[in-house]
Amino acid sequence: MINILVVDDQKHIRDGLQAMLHQFPLELNNIYCAASGMEALILLRKHNIHIVLTDIRMPDMDGLALMAQTKEERIEVEYLIISGYSDFTYAQKAIEFGAKGYLLKPLKREDLQTSLEHVWQEIQTRQALTHNMQHVSRLARETDRKGLQMFMQGALNDEAWILQIQEQTPALWHHYRLCLLREKCWINQPGASSVHSMEAIAYGVFGRQGCICLQHSPYLILAVNAALDPNALPAGLKEGMIDAITVMTDPQQGLKTLPGSYAQLLELYRHSYLFPDLCIILPAHIEHMEQQWQLPYEELYDLFQSVGTDNSGRIAQGISAIFHKNVLQRYHIRYTQQLCGATVQMMEEYEQVIRPYMGEEALDLESLRNLFDYPGMRDYIQALQQQLLRLNQFYFEYKCSYRNSQELNEAIRFIHESYHKPLDLAMVSNHVSLNYAYFSNLFKKNIGKGFAEYLRDVRLDKARRLLAETDHKIVEVAAMVGYENYKSFTRAFRLAMHIQPTEYRQMMRQKGEREVQYHSTYL
């Protein structure tokens, strides 16, 4: 859509040109009119005008002065000159200033239309070329960014490419820091990510030559000018009303240091979970952390002694004390990770005891295995407390339900103690001195499944652990969990698990190998 400005000190000429323009088959957007060069200059500064039709001789500021001023102010606009024969010398000067055409008064409709179409076509061609060049430039920048990301992560090491990229912004790579921005948010918090806003603020702080984006997801990573104060970026984010943690490495020299700098950045990022109240994390924050420790097993054991009571407040307080930030901040992040693992393992052991009584209810312990799946440490501790309180509730209900059924509790204990031996309902009922039929009904009513099914589940639960954690042969595992022969064990395992014992062992070993690989890569 074309915006045209008509400039002439005679109103009837302006009105005539405006009427003529409306008759042309052009995609007109707006037609502006001005009676002098000064009035035209005000409109040019205010609106995005593509073409100016102007007389040369006008009071106050003539057409030549208008062209000179817009050129000085770098206002991009094209001129068509309207003049009489006596003004030909002025017209030549206007063309020297860059005017695209010279039209004699009185104007001919066909000449004006042809000139406008020619100029508009030239503008469109230039705009298309500029757009294509910008697109090519964006593609080149994106290719370089992906290459830098691969190099940063250790997947690329081409000497010639490194030198080429470094020469594009030598000042930055000579003295840079890696920076990671993680927006603070609570779990399930609604709202769109501010990653592009954070990137824009970073470019505003460091300038286009002092900042390069290397990664957008799962968090924003930038290379920034190390000469600037590291606190400038957190200040800019705060001014932009973005609540984010800024993680920055030590100053680095040379693009070749990028992979090592990236490793330091990830280390700092993991430690940012220990400092939720800081807006910037620097290497100085973790320099004096202790590298050796002893996990507080006594405190954990004492905490789990409360599981199954009606004192849920003590459990919540115990978790808060064990995971207190003043304790966690003393040690390397591995301490916190190991503490999380030990707590989840104890919860798992407690859950296994009452799992047969939980029916379809279950704890979500898998979600607690990786601290960094959560937005922050507070979110993880909150989730841990919730699961531990659920475990406490299950245990409490279990104890209440069977408080007056000592015989049934003893039967359960006896089954877990003797599952590896030949065992049947008669033997268990005799052990607790109850009538066979009465015990059978009592067991099924309170446990929710028959004796044979419960015994099978106990044996298969033990078998799964042996298959996953030992190298015993399948036939040996079958005997260890109370099955008389290999075939009956594999048939029962397949019916319950929908997978062969050998396949289950292979699956668990592959899972273990993946976890080892993950820990060796990221921890």
Side-chain angles (χ1 to χ4, degrees):
M1 300 290 285
I2 314 173
N3 292 325
I4 297 178
L5 172 60
V6 177
V7 189
D8 199 293
D9 58 334
Q10 298 183 50
K11 186 177 185 304
H12 72 278
I13 294 179
R14 295 196 304 271
D15 292 344
L17 285 172
Q18 190 173 8
M20 193 181 297
L21 289 172
H22 279 298
Q23 297 173 8
F24 295 160
L26 296 172
E27 295 182 357
L28 292 173
N29 186 27
N30 286 303
I31 299 176
Y32 303 92
C33 290
S36 69
M38 287 299 299
E39 189 179 332
L41 186 60
I42 293 172
L43 291 170
L44 285 165
R45 289 169 177 167
K46 186 177 180 181
H47 302 286
N48 179 29
I49 294 172
H50 302 104
I51 302 173
V52 176
L53 294 173
T54 181
D55 193 5
I56 287 184
R57 291 192 177 186
M58 292 180 296
D60 193 15
M61 174 185 279
D62 63 18
L64 293 180
L66 175 62
M67 293 183 68
Q69 186 62 33
T70 53
K71 186 175 182 180
E72 182 178 338
E73 295 185 20
R74 297 184 178 179
I75 298 174
E76 293 186 5
V77 64
E78 303 294 353
Y79 282 88
L80 284 174
I81 304 303
I82 304 171
S83 176
Y85 284 105
S86 60
D87 297 324
F88 184 68
T89 303
Y90 291 98
Q92 285 182 313
K93 188 66 176 176
I95 291 173
E96 290 178 10
F97 280 178
K100 293 298 182 181
Y102 168 63
L103 301 170
L104 288 174
K105 294 180 180 179
L107 287 180
K108 293 182 180 180
R109 184 180 183 281
E110 296 78 8
D111 292 344
L112 178 58
Q113 181 177 340
T114 301
S115 297
L116 283 172
E117 289 176 348
H118 175 77
V119 175
W120 180 238
Q121 182 63 46
E122 185 177 325
I123 291 172
Q124 288 181 307
T125 301
R126 184 169 63 247
Q127 289 176 341
L129 181 60
T130 301
H131 176 77
N132 289 338
M133 291 178 65
Q134 290 173 344
H135 179 65
V136 171
S137 179
R138 282 195 299 271
L139 288 177
R141 288 196 301 270
E142 183 64 16
T143 300
D144 289 343
R145 186 187 67 78
K146 289 181 178 178
L148 280 167
Q149 185 176 355
M150 292 175 63
F151 174 58
M152 176 177 71
Q153 296 173 354
L156 178 67
N157 191 8
D158 186 314
E159 197 76 25
W161 177 86
I162 293 172
L163 292 174
Q164 176 190 344
I165 297 298
Q166 184 169 281
E167 288 173 359
Q168 292 178 4
T169 49
L172 173 64
W173 293 117
H174 178 70
H175 191 54
Y176 75 95
R177 296 176 189 265
L178 272 193
C179 170
L180 183 149
L181 296 178
R182 176 168 68 88
E183 189 173 8
K184 292 182 181 178
C185 59
W186 297 100
I187 202 163
N188 296 327
Q189 177 183 1
S193 170
S194 299
V195 62
H196 293 293
S197 299
M198 293 192 294
E199 182 182 0
I201 290 173
Y203 278 111
V205 171
F206 295 98
R208 285 286 167 181
Q209 296 301 312
C211 181
I212 293 179
C213 177
L214 303 177
Q215 178 178 298
H216 283 113
S217 178
Y219 26 68
L220 183 63
I221 296 181
L222 308 161
V224 300
N225 185 354
L228 270 71
D229 182 359
N231 292 293
L233 182 53
L237 293 169
K238 184 177 181 180
E239 185 177 347
M241 302 182 68
I242 295 179
D243 192 12
I245 293 175
T246 303
V247 181
M248 280 196 182
T249 67
D250 289 323
Q252 309 290 326
Q253 288 188 335
L255 184 56
K256 288 185 178 180
T257 63
L258 184 59
S261 183
Y262 177 64
Q264 183 189 43
L265 186 72
L266 292 183
E267 182 83 344
L268 287 168
Y269 165 69
R270 288 191 286 270
H271 281 86
S272 71
Y273 277 70
L274 304 181
F275 301 94
D277 299 323
L278 295 181
C279 62
I280 182 169
I281 307 295
L282 298 170
H285 289 107
I286 68 171
E287 285 178 354
H288 304 295
M289 282 185 164
E290 297 179 31
Q291 302 293 322
Q292 294 182 344
W293 53 78
Q294 180 66 43
L295 290 179
Y297 285 110
E298 290 187 10
E299 288 87 342
L300 280 173
Y301 291 141
D302 183 60
L303 170 67
F304 275 84
Q305 289 301 310
S306 300
V307 172
T309 69
D310 58 355
N311 194 353
S312 59
R314 184 168 183 265
I315 293 175
Q317 291 173 0
I319 284 291
S320 297
I322 292 172
F323 284 86
H324 196 279
K325 67 177 182 179
N326 291 341
V327 177
L328 302 184
Q329 289 173 3
R330 287 175 51 193
Y331 303 109
H332 191 279
I333 188 64
R334 288 194 301 272
Y335 169 83
T336 301
Q337 291 177 276
Q338 291 177 10
L339 181 60
C340 294
T343 307
V344 172
Q345 182 178 353
M346 293 189 72
M347 292 175 66
E348 191 173 36
E349 291 174 357
Y350 269 69
E351 185 200 31
Q352 286 177 353
V353 174
I354 62 168
R355 187 178 295 164
Y357 313 99
M358 293 171 65
E360 295 182 357
E361 297 283 352
L363 298 179
D364 186 12
L365 298 183
E366 286 300 319
S367 67
L368 299 174
R369 298 197 186 280
N370 185 11
L371 164 65
F372 304 114
D373 286 341
Y374 289 79
M377 192 71 209
R378 290 167 178 158
D379 301 274
Y380 180 85
I381 294 174
Q382 181 182 8
L384 185 66
Q385 284 182 336
Q386 289 175 348
Q387 293 299 316
L388 189 54
L389 290 173
R390 286 191 69 209
L391 176 65
N392 176 66
Q393 184 64 28
F394 284 135
Y395 247 94
F396 181 72
E397 292 174 356
Y398 160 70
K399 287 184 176 180
C400 289
S401 299
Y402 299 103
R403 190 169 295 153
N404 299 321
S405 302
Q406 297 298 322
E407 295 88 353
L408 192 58
N409 290 336
E410 174 58 24
I412 296 296
R413 188 202 65 77
F414 181 68
I415 292 170
H416 279 267
E417 183 182 85
S418 309
Y419 68 90
H420 57 287
K421 302 176 182 178
L423 199 63
D424 57 26
L425 183 62
M427 295 171 61
V428 179
S429 63
N430 288 334
H431 177 78
V432 295
S433 303
L434 288 177
N435 174 270
Y436 179 94
Y438 173 78
F439 176 72
S440 176
N441 290 331
L442 177 69
F443 192 94
K444 188 169 185 178
K445 177 181 177 181
N446 288 278
I447 303 303
K449 58 179 71 174
F451 168 81
E453 184 181 359
Y454 179 79
L455 177 61
R456 181 205 65 184
D457 290 346
V458 171
R459 285 172 168 173
L460 292 183
D461 187 57
K462 304 295 183 182
R464 286 196 297 271
R465 177 166 291 189
L466 289 170
L467 289 169
E469 298 177 2
T470 73
D471 292 324
H472 290 300
K473 296 178 180 179
I474 305 298
V475 66
E476 294 173 341
V477 171
M480 292 168 71
V481 297
Y483 281 88
E484 296 180 358
N485 59 69
Y486 172 83
K487 286 185 178 181
S488 61
F489 168 68
T490 55
R491 182 170 59 254
F493 194 96
R494 185 177 66 254
L495 289 174
M497 299 295 297
H498 306 290
I499 190 174
Q500 292 286 1
T502 53
E503 294 173 334
Y504 177 81
R505 167 172 279 174
Q506 183 179 8
M507 179 180 69
M508 296 305 295
R509 288 184 175 177
Q510 289 174 348
K511 179 181 177 182
E513 289 172 358
R514 287 195 298 270
E515 290 178 353
V516 169
Q517 184 178 6
Y518 171 84
H519 285 287
S520 64
T521 303
Y522 295 104
L523 304 181

